[in-house]
């Protein structure tokens, strides 16, 4: 019952009796050189403000880093897509070139064969001509 009463705040102050005792003990304590000086309060406030500014700066830096990482990933993705397209185009050109090479090889073989046939025919014609000239 005693603790239950202490936990009830005093309506005028909205503090519990225990909290009021703690406040009085802080007020009645003799001031220490650090706790009572305005410079100490400023230093604590300044340290806290620096900490808050640093935290905010770190958040901004992390946000920029995430943004750069995202842009870098987008650039790499775009580059990979471009390289895939270029690779596909090069493969298509290679396939077309190989097909043309095959067609030209077939045509070349046909022309060589025709050349051999024509050379044989020409040789026969020279022989016939030589025979005709020698018979005259």
């Amino acid at each position: 019952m005693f603790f239950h009463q202490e936990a009830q705040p005093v309506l005028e102050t909205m503090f519990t009796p225990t909290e009021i005792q703690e406040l009085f003990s802080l007020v009645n304590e003799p001031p220490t050189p650090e706790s009572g000086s305005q410079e100490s309060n400023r230093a604590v406030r300044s340290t806290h403000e620096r900490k808050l500014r640093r935290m905010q700066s770190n958040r901004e830096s992390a946000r920029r880093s995430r943004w750069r990482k995202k842009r870098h990933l987008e650039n790499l993705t775009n580059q990979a897509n471009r390289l895939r397209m270029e690779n596909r185009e090069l493969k298509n050109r290679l396939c077309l070139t190989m097909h043309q090479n095959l067609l030209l090889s077939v045509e070349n073989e046909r022309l060589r064969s025709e050349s051999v046939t024509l050379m044989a025919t020409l040789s026969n014609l020279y022989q016939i001509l030589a025979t005709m000239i020698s018979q005259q």
Side-chain angles (χ1 to χ4, degrees), residues 89-101:
E89 289 172 9
L90 289 172
K91 283 180 179 179
N92 289 341
R93 286 175 54 193
L94 177 62
C95 185
L96 179 63
T97 303
M98 289 174 68
H99 180 70
Q100 288 173 341
N101 183 42

Side-chain angles (χ1 to χ4, degrees), residues 114-130:
E114 185 179 336
S115 174
V116 168
T117 304
L118 289 173
M119 292 294 271
T121 304
L122 183 61
S123 178
N124 287 341
L125 288 175
Y126 278 140
Q127 285 177 357
I128 292 171
L129 183 62

